[in-house]
Amino acid sequence: MSVSSAPGGRRHTVDESALGVTSIFQKNNDHAVVDHDMDADEEILVSLGYKQEFKRDFSIWSCFSVSFSILGILPSIASTLSYNLAYSGQAGSVWGWIVASILIQFVALSMAELCSSMPTAGGLYYAAAVLAPDGWGPLASWNFIGQLTGPVSVGYALAYMILTAAAIGNPEYVIQTWHIYLTLLLILFVSGLITMQATKIIGWINVVGTWVNLIALIIFVIWLPVGSVNTPKTNPNSVVWTGEGLVNGTEWPSGFAFIMGFLSVIWTMSGYDASFHLSEECSNANVAAPRAIVMTAQLGFYLGFPVILVIAYTVMNIPDVVAGNLGQPMGALCLQVLGPKAGLAMFCINIVAQYAVELGCIIAGSRVIYAYSRDGALPGSRWWKKVNNYTKTPVNALWFDLAINALLGLLMFASPVAIGAVFSIGAIAQYVAFTIPIALRLTAAKNKFRPGPWNLGRWSKPCGYIACTWVVFIIPVLCFPATKGGDLNALNMNYTCVVYGGVMTCALLWYAIDARKWFKGPKINVEHLIHGQDTDDIEAVMVDGDSEPKKRME
């Protein structure tokens, strides 16, 4: 087989099998065609069916900084403190962090292996579409809710923290729901102005955000036990490590309450996939991006543990922290342990770190919107897929993502539990998206998956099976309310299954009624070979993002 030459240079096919990638081209035994010299990163991306549109200004450290900023260990733990402490007490928080974090590592490792084989902005969406059995790719990849809820959940927590700090400084101030919503809108708008900048600037901002999070964590771990105003300053070891500190704050058995507290860990440890979505902006992507995923998950485990330990050792009155007048557990904890002035100062440091998390979530979410729009999956895709000519970033997709999150923020007017469901939704939706391609890798695609340069070798399948088993086990648990029977009412109901189930039901109905007719999964936008069904003649066809390929039959 050969391809005719063109004035721009000798045209040749790209052999994706030699590059260690699992590509959409495998389905039709097709290949990309190029007429210019490419570096290794562009060659890999072209072999996956996409042209290079972003600048590759991210190094492994820039890529890691974005995902680590999203992880935001201290502020993420602060945002979900009412789950682990309230459900299972000090000892439950400590052991829950160890157990859940270890199991999460298997998901991260399996994801990193997929990333090395398919380093695209679509990330897990592309992987699910390619690895699914013939005809099932579009449906398998029809899952993007998790990446959309990050900015609103983090932004809501941040808005509440800012207003809580105001309430601490002015005891006469009473926080109103509309105050929180307006603060959320301001956060989203300012964050959008920052994250719409060029890749190099975004990388620098997230490096700063990483250092902010690390410094805030170090200050917290040292200041709380040393500066505690309580006597004694810390709880005894028996409260932190044994059944004495396992306080069941639910109406379920203690063992089940312990597992329900895993939500805090899962929410905190859910940002490492950002490196996958940024792989088209990263140099040496099929090695650097998976390494960044693993680094983020590992450091999240190791650095989060001392934070959990400090909280377990210093908290003296759990009901006052999780259900006090402030309504913000981290603010109440800082005041309880450090006193009014020092507590407010520590709380403000946490707020700054939380803002770095918000910026990272918006960046990652915009890349997911862009990837889906590039393949025509969303209403208005032709606008959201555009890359800004000046910044070389998906500015339209970013503002579309922020608009969606502003609408989701209206849930806070229903009830605190309803807006709190976005934390569970984010955790569930993201881990569902994480697990689908891992499961397909083990089943339908076990013979066509091509490991990239970063792979698990013989440990790939055992690691994948543990990851899938863990997610299938934990997802139903996250949907349970803390109360049951006659005590269950509209205010304390866990709306996760209603909101997530409702949105997914609508999405699946949309797919079944209409989207399946036009959404076919990843859409190739590079020149490639088209194979005629009744001839060996091969024609190179240029396909743009909006047109269908044409076959020439001779």
Side-chain angles (χ1 to χ4, degrees):
M1 296 187 299
S2 63
V3 179
S4 60
S5 299
R10 184 178 181 278
R11 304 171 73 195
H12 60 281
T13 59
V14 178
D15 184 4
E16 65 276 356
S17 63
L19 297 173
V21 299
T22 306
S23 170
I24 191 70
F25 286 127
Q26 291 175 234
K27 291 182 178 293
N28 300 314
N29 193 27
D30 202 355
H31 300 283
V33 177
V34 295
D35 60 1
H36 64 278
D37 293 331
M38 300 181 295
D39 60 23
D41 284 312
E42 184 181 0
E43 187 176 22
I44 289 171
L45 184 59
V46 167
S47 73
L48 294 169
Y50 297 124
K51 59 185 176 182
Q52 183 71 49
E53 296 186 271
F54 296 132
K55 287 185 177 179
R56 290 190 180 269
D57 286 334
F58 279 150
S59 65
I60 182 175
W61 299 109
S62 302
C63 209
F64 162 75
S65 295
V66 175
S67 56
F68 189 78
S69 293
I70 295 175
L71 211 66
I73 298 167
L74 178 61
S76 292
I77 291 174
S79 300
T80 54
L81 199 58
S82 58
Y83 294 102
N84 54 356
L85 269 184
Y87 289 169
S88 55
Q90 294 98 323
S93 298
V94 171
W95 287 109
W97 183 270
I98 295 172
V99 173
S101 293
I102 290 174
L103 291 169
I104 287 170
Q105 300 307 310
F106 292 99
V107 181
L109 289 168
S110 296
M111 182 195 298
E113 186 175 47
L114 293 175
C115 179
S116 183
S117 180
M118 294 168 274
T120 70
L124 298 155
Y125 146 74
Y126 181 91
V130 171
L131 297 175
D134 291 343
W136 291 91
L139 180 59
S141 61
W142 194 252
N143 183 8
F144 47 86
I145 295 174
Q147 286 81 6
L148 300 184
T149 61
V152 67
S153 53
V154 175
Y156 169 75
L158 176 59
Y160 210 135
M161 287 178 182
I162 292 171
L163 296 179
T164 298
I168 293 173
N170 180 14
E172 296 182 0
Y173 170 62
V174 178
I175 300 174
Q176 303 293 331
T177 302
W178 65 272
H179 297 173
I180 303 173
Y181 186 69
L182 289 181
T183 306
L184 170 64
L185 293 182
L186 179 62
I187 290 169
L188 294 176
F189 178 72
V190 174
S191 300
L193 294 178
I194 294 173
T195 52
M196 67 182 286
Q197 303 305 315
T199 302
K200 186 172 290 186
I201 297 174
I202 292 172
W204 180 82
I205 290 171
N206 279 280
V207 168
V208 173
T210 296
W211 282 107
V212 167
N213 270 286
L214 284 173
I215 292 170
L217 187 151
I218 293 170
I219 293 173
F220 180 86
V221 169
I222 295 174
W223 198 357
L224 255 71
V226 173
S228 176
V229 297
N230 299 311
T231 304
K233 289 180 177 293
T234 60
N235 292 310
N237 290 331
S238 58
V239 170
V240 176
W241 295 99
T242 71
E244 185 179 338
L246 187 61
V247 180
N248 187 347
T250 75
E251 295 183 1
W252 302 98
S254 295
F256 195 75
F258 169 71
I259 297 171
M260 289 176 68
F262 288 179
L263 173 60
S264 178
V265 192
I266 294 170
W267 168 252
T268 301
M269 301 280 288
S270 61
Y272 47 83
D273 65 307
S275 297
F276 207 154
H277 303 301
L278 295 170
S279 56
E280 290 184 33
E281 300 167 75
C282 180
S283 58
N284 195 25
N286 60 347
V287 174
R291 283 180 178 173
I293 291 173
V294 176
M295 286 168 57
T296 304
Q298 291 279 306
L299 285 176
F301 176 21
Y302 302 139
L303 296 179
F305 187 56
V307 174
I308 292 293
L309 274 181
V310 165
I311 293 172
Y313 271 106
T314 58
V315 63
M316 297 295 170
N317 187 331
I318 292 179
D320 182 57
V321 168
V322 300
N325 294 330
L326 281 178
Q328 216 301 319
M330 179 56 83
L333 174 69
C334 291
L335 291 184
Q336 184 184 108
V337 177
L338 298 175
K341 292 183 178 179
L344 179 58
M346 182 65 247
F347 189 52
C348 288
I349 292 173
N350 180 73
I351 290 174
V352 175
Q354 178 83 350
Y355 189 63
V357 179
E358 176 73 348
L359 295 178
C361 286
I362 293 172
I363 292 169
S366 66
R367 272 53 178 181
V368 174
I369 295 289
Y370 162 78
Y372 271 90
S373 299
R374 179 171 59 182
D375 295 330
L378 300 176
S381 288
R382 63 192 181 99
W383 292 302
W384 318 135
K385 73 176 182 179
K386 290 186 180 297
V387 176
N388 186 273
N389 292 329
Y390 178 72
T391 65
K392 296 299 181 183
T393 56
V395 174
N396 293 0
L398 185 146
W399 286 106
F400 178 58
D401 185 27
L402 292 178
I404 293 173
N405 279 272
L407 293 175
L408 287 173
L410 294 172
L411 283 170
M412 68 179 71
F413 291 100
S415 76
V417 179
I419 186 63
V422 297
F423 291 97
S424 296
I425 292 170
I428 290 175
Q430 288 196 60
Y431 274 88
V432 168
F434 294 175
T435 309
I436 288 175
I438 296 174
L440 291 171
R441 152 81 178 91
L442 298 170
T443 54
K446 60 182 178 181
N447 294 324
K448 69 178 179 180
F449 177 76
R450 296 170 178 156
W454 194 102
N455 62 80
L456 300 172
R458 62 176 180 170
W459 298 106
S460 177
K461 289 185 178 180
C463 188
Y465 283 120
I466 294 173
C468 293
T469 302
W470 152 247
V471 173
V472 170
F473 166 75
I474 196 60
I475 283 178
V477 177
L478 300 182
C479 296
F480 276 76
T483 57
K484 60 181 180 178
D487 295 330
L488 186 63
N489 55 53
L491 292 178
N492 57 30
M493 169 64 183
N494 186 340
Y495 288 94
T496 301
C497 54
V498 177
V499 178
Y500 176 69
V503 172
M504 281 304 298
T505 299
C506 291
L508 291 174
L509 285 174
W510 176 25
Y511 179 84
I513 296 171
D514 182 51
R516 64 182 177 84
K517 301 174 184 176
W518 47 264
F519 177 62
K520 304 302 179 184
K523 185 183 291 186
I524 299 168
N525 68 359
V526 296
E527 190 175 359
H528 63 108
L529 297 176
I530 299 295
H531 292 250
Q533 295 176 354
D534 301 317
T535 178
D536 292 332
D537 181 56
I538 300 169
E539 178 187 14
V541 179
M542 176 58 76
V543 183
D544 62 32
D546 297 320
S547 63
E548 294 297 325
K550 298 178 180 179
K551 296 181 179 179
R552 185 183 72 184
M553 306 294 293
E554 296 184 358

